[in-house]
Structure formats: structure tokens, C-alpha cells
Amino acid sequence: MLKDITIGKYVPARSPLHRLDPLVKIIFTAFYIAALFIINKPLPYAVFTAYTLIIMLISGIPVKMILKGARPMLWIFIFTAVFNVFMTTGETLWAFDIFSLSIKITREGVISGAVLTVRLFYLVIGTSLLTLTTSPLDLTDGIEKLLSPLQKIKVPSHEIAMMMTIAIRFIPTLSEETDKIMKAQTARGADFETGNIIRRAKAMLPLLVPLFISAFRRADDLAVAMESRCYSSGGKRTKMKECRFTSFDLRAVIIFAAATAALMTTQYML
Amino acid sequence: MIKTEKLCYSYEQDTPFERRALYDVDLEIRDGSITALIGHTGSGKSTLIQHFNGLLKPTSGKIIIDGDDITAPNADLKRIRRKVGLVFQYPEHQLFEETVYRDIAFGPKNMGLNKDEIDERVRKSAYLTGLDEKYLERSPFDLSGGQKRRAAIAGTLAMDPKVLILDEPTAGLDPKGGKDILSLIERLHTENKDMIIIFVSHSMEDVARIADRVVVMNEGRVETEGTTAQIFSNPNRLRGIGLDVPQVTLLADKLRSAGIGLPDDIYTVESAAREIAVRLGGDTHA
Ligand SMILES: Nc1ncnc2c1ncn2[C@@H]1O[C@H](COP(=O)(O)OP(=O)(O)OP(=O)(O)O)[C@@H](O)[C@H]1O
Ligand SMILES: [Mg+2]
């Protein structure tokens, strides 16, 4: 049931992507997304697709699994595509009437529908690759480093990172818990899968009440455990595993920069 | 009767996280038996019992309950779940209703029974589990741990299952609470002679006290299976897979090797006390 969601899941492996400094990886992902929204011609899209394929292949993660992560988004893709195809005005390709509604499919609509869907798809792929190849701890480390310049203007970057670590840490626990409670209620004849929206929302109650109770109980336990080990937010901490910018990262940055430059050339020069 | 044939199961199949939990499990559990399922942590006990009411689908193999193949693609899972009641470990964590009464009524309501039938079942199962009527109108979250556990078990009993499966029903309870749950199981058994009761336990004492058959799991396979006496007559085999026999059996062994002629099927404190009392020529109602 919940097992298909790969966003936020980490798959340990040995790959260049896993080795990369998390901060560098986060910045790469940001550039990847920015580039995705800058390009708007066929050639850059082809180059971008090639890049994505290469990254997927060197990630050390089965391609099938990366693609599976996009599956929960399928309806959003379809909705975006359909919405765009019907709602964009422009040069009419095909017109017809349904229930006295005249519907026009335009050239611009088809193109923008296709482009948006492709963008969303790559967006999901890119971000899942980040979380699939970075352990949650490294990820928050990277975010903390990313935010640390903001400490000067009193942004509590350590606390934000701590909150994220805890939240990410509890995703698998809570999804396991959800699975357990769902099974327990199913064994008592609960039905989570059929019926209209209202019925289904009502059917969620036997799941949500125990889930919230258990989440609060866990939060409470964790708070007690942290306090009994004298956790306080102001303290200066060192790390057990320090992420350092290595020559490997430097090489990766150079390759990435070159690739980005090449992509931009195809977008603006050709 | 519950029968499994070459039952295999892997968690998260076809992902890098794939984990095999059951290998070729062949079992036969007869009507009217109390079967204990024992095995070390992670040996696949919880995984196995979740197959018996169709919550998990086997990767391969079959499960046949009273002649119905519940793994068939057209199997009526709702009917199977009515017939096979499953009480999870720490079932009190699944309580959610405003009152105990309504929580127990959740199962019967999902079965589509009418109000009177539901009322009858709720009261009957509350009575069976030893839950006083006065608790029925309270919030389940105001009960003690042991009472919550009873309320949760009552919720499953209210569906009037023919097969009752309990996953570590005494875990986390105090000795008295644990004993009460065991007596409840025994009472259910005497009241309904055809019922199949399966329970998972890490306490050899509990197993010796109420089970008539024992299935021993090890690393996802059925290591051995037999009557309680057969299983506990081979302590070394059990120790080899991280289990043991009841303490009192070891004591009886020691006494026997010290020359006191005790029978070799002593698994409960009661039977040991009785036999020793006989040897001492005293009162047999120890
Ligand atoms: N939801 C799950 N996802 C993946 N693997 C699981 C899941 N549940 C159990 N497993 C694995 O399957 C194996 C069998 O687990 P199971 O819970 O059946 O053991 P158990 O005999 O009930 O143990 P315990 O005595 O600790 O309750 C274990 O190796 C466990 O890690
Ligand atoms: Mg278990």
C-alpha cells in the first residue's frame, strides 16, 4: 500500500552519486531544476534527457525503482496534461462539441501540456535521485550547511536541520505504524479501499486516531530521551562523521559546470 | 482445518529491500486445537499468521481453510476475515472509538449486523474477556493496560471467529494480567470445542500451560511440530535455535538424575508439584 512511495527513501549503494558531498548534491539538484525550467527548445530537451539518463545509470539504483517513484504522481501528470491541452488558446487543431460545449484543442495547448508533463516528470526524477542516494542524516547535514550563512541573520539553521532530521527519521517509523494499524483494522472488517470520498474519509478515522496517538507518544518519548541526555538547542556541536569537500567533489563540480554550460549553449546559441 | 502448502513469502518483493521471511511452510492445524507458535525473534511467526486471514498474500504456495483456497484470486477475503479473527501484538494500540462499547462494536458493525445482534455480541465478548459492564461506556484510553488488551481482544471475539489467532497476547502485561489472558484462552477453548486457537508466545511456561500442539519456527521455516510433550522432550534441539524448555522441566530433569522417579512429561509447575507431592506421600491437591 504505502510501499510504492520512494520519495524520501534512501537506498544504500556504492556509486559516484552516493559519494558526492551532500551540500554539493543539493546545489546540483537546484541547478538541475532551474535548468529544467529555463530550457524550452527541442535540442536542449534532448540534451537534458541524455543527462538525466546518464545520472540515472551511474546512480547505482535500479532504473525500475527510480521510475516507480514517479508512479504516485501519475494522476497529477495526467491532470496537468489534460488541463493544458483543453485550456490553452491558440491555433485550432481540432474542434468538436460535447453537450453544447464547444471544445477546441490547440497546437499551443498540446505543446504546453507535453512540456509541463515532461518537466514535472523530470522534477520528480531529479528530486527522488537526491533522496535515493543521500542518507537522511547526510541530507540534513547538507541542508544545515546550506543554511549556515543565514545564521548571521538569526535563522536557527541548526534547529531547522534538527527538526528535519527528526521528521525524516520518523517517516519510516510512522509508515510502518500506519501499515500495522491498517492491517489490524482490516482484520476487523474495515474497508479502506472502496466507497465514495465521504465514505473513505470516514473509514480513515480508525486509522488516524491510533496513528496520532502513537505519534504523540513517540514524540513525548523522544523529548524525554533527549532531555535526559541534556540536549539543548544553543550548544556547539561537532559531528561524528564530517562531510568534507574532496577532490572527487571538485571534479564533479567541474564536470557538472561543463555540462551545464553545454546545455545552455544548445538553448541560447544554436 | 487450516492447511498451508509450500508457503513462501518475501517482503518488498522486486525491490533492493527484498527480504525472504517464509520458506516452504507446510502445516496442518486441526479443529479444536490450541496451537502455540514459537521461534526466535524474526523467525517469521507474525508473518505466517498474517497469511491465515489474507492480510498478506503468499509469494508462492497455498493456504486452505476448511477446504477453501484463500489464496485463489477470487477468494472472498471479507468472509475469510470474519471466520479468522486476528489479534495483533499490542492490540490496544488500535483502539480508536469514543467508548469501549463502540470499539468492540466496530467489527460486528463492519459485518453488517443489526443493532440488537451487535449489542448481544458486544456484551457477550465483554463478559468472556472479563471486562466489567461498567467499563463499556468509558473511553478506551482511560483503561489500564490489561483492560485495554481485553477490550481489544473482545473487539475480535465480537466477530465470532471460528479461528482465533493471537500474536504474543501476554507481552507487556504483569504476571496476573498475563495469566488472565491465558485463562481467557482456555475458557474460549472449553466453551467452543471446534474453535482453532493459535497463539504466538516467547514464554515456554505459557505454552506448556495451555497449548496442546506446538509449531517451532526457525529462520522462516518450520523447524519441527508436534504435541507439547513431544516438543519439550528435546531441550537440546530447542536450545540450538535460541529457545528453551520451561524452567520446571529442567528442575524435574535434575530431580530425576538425582534419583527421584518422576515422569518425564512435566512441563507445568502444577504437574510438578502434584508429582512431587505424590512422591513425598502428601496431599495431591498442591
Ligand atoms: N513490514 C516488513 N517489511 C520488511 N520486512 C519485514 C517486515 N516485517 C517483518 N519483516 C522481516 O521478516 C522477518 C520475519 O519477521 P516476523 O515479524 O514475522 O518475525 P517474528 O517471528 O514475528 O518475530 P518477533 O518474535 O520479534 O515478533 C524478519 O526478518 C523481519 O525483519
Ligand atoms: Mg512477531
Side-chain angles (χ1 to χ4, degrees), chain A residues 51-228:
Chain A
Y51 286 175
T52 308
L53 277 175
I54 293 170
I55 300 170
M56 273 160 72
L57 288 177
I58 62 168
S59 70
I61 290 165
V63 173
K64 212 169 126 195
M65 187 165 178
I66 305 173
L67 295 179
K68 231 174 148 186
R71 226 176 50 192
M73 309 287 286
L74 192 66
W75 282 108
I76 299 180
F77 295 156
I78 293 174
F79 184 75
T80 321
V82 169
F83 200 75
N84 269 281
V85 165
F86 289 117
M87 295 301 174
T88 315
T89 53
E91 180 192 330
T92 308
L93 285 182
W94 193 28
F96 55 93
D97 290 308
I98 303 176
F99 306 126
S100 71
L101 268 171
S102 66
I103 290 176
K104 271 189 246 152
I105 293 179
T106 62
R107 203 180 127 79
E108 284 77 2
V110 172
I111 292 173
S112 80
V115 165
L116 256 175
T117 312
V118 167
R119 279 183 177 169
L120 272 180
F121 178 70
Y122 282 147
L123 187 68
V124 174
I125 298 286
T127 39
S128 341
L129 270 170
L130 174 66
T131 53
L132 281 167
T133 60
T134 319
S135 79
L137 233 64
D138 283 350
L139 197 62
T140 42
D141 237 33
I143 291 169
E144 188 175 351
K145 268 196 215 153
L146 192 69
L147 295 178
S148 61
L150 297 179
Q151 238 164 4
K152 300 231 165 55
I153 55 163
K154 296 251 186 308
V155 174
S157 64
H158 171 73
E159 281 69 24
I160 293 174
M162 186 60 159
M163 270 163 58
M164 291 188 56
T165 314
I166 293 174
I168 292 174
R169 157 68 186 75
F170 275 99
I171 290 174
T173 314
L174 286 181
S175 80
E176 206 174 278
E177 192 93 6
T178 310
D179 201 50
K180 231 191 263 171
I181 298 169
M182 234 169 167
K183 276 183 183 163
Q185 308 297 27
T186 309
R188 292 209 278 165
D191 184 353
F192 297 103
E193 267 135 34
T194 57
N196 59 26
I197 292 186
I198 296 171
R199 244 196 80 154
R200 276 203 221 187
K202 259 187 161 166
M204 291 311 261
L205 211 62
L207 171 64
L208 291 180
V209 173
L211 191 63
F212 271 90
I213 290 173
S214 116
F216 284 126
R217 190 177 48 224
R218 279 178 201 284
D220 206 45
D221 288 351
L222 182 67
V224 170
M226 282 169 75
E227 264 180 25
S228 60

Side-chain angles (χ1 to χ4, degrees), chain B residues 41-42 44-47 49-50 89 167-168 200 202:
Chain B
T41 295
K45 306 178 295 292
S46 302
T47 308
I49 57 176
Q50 286 173 39
Q89 195 173 2
D167 197 349
E168 302 192 32
V200 175
H202 283 292

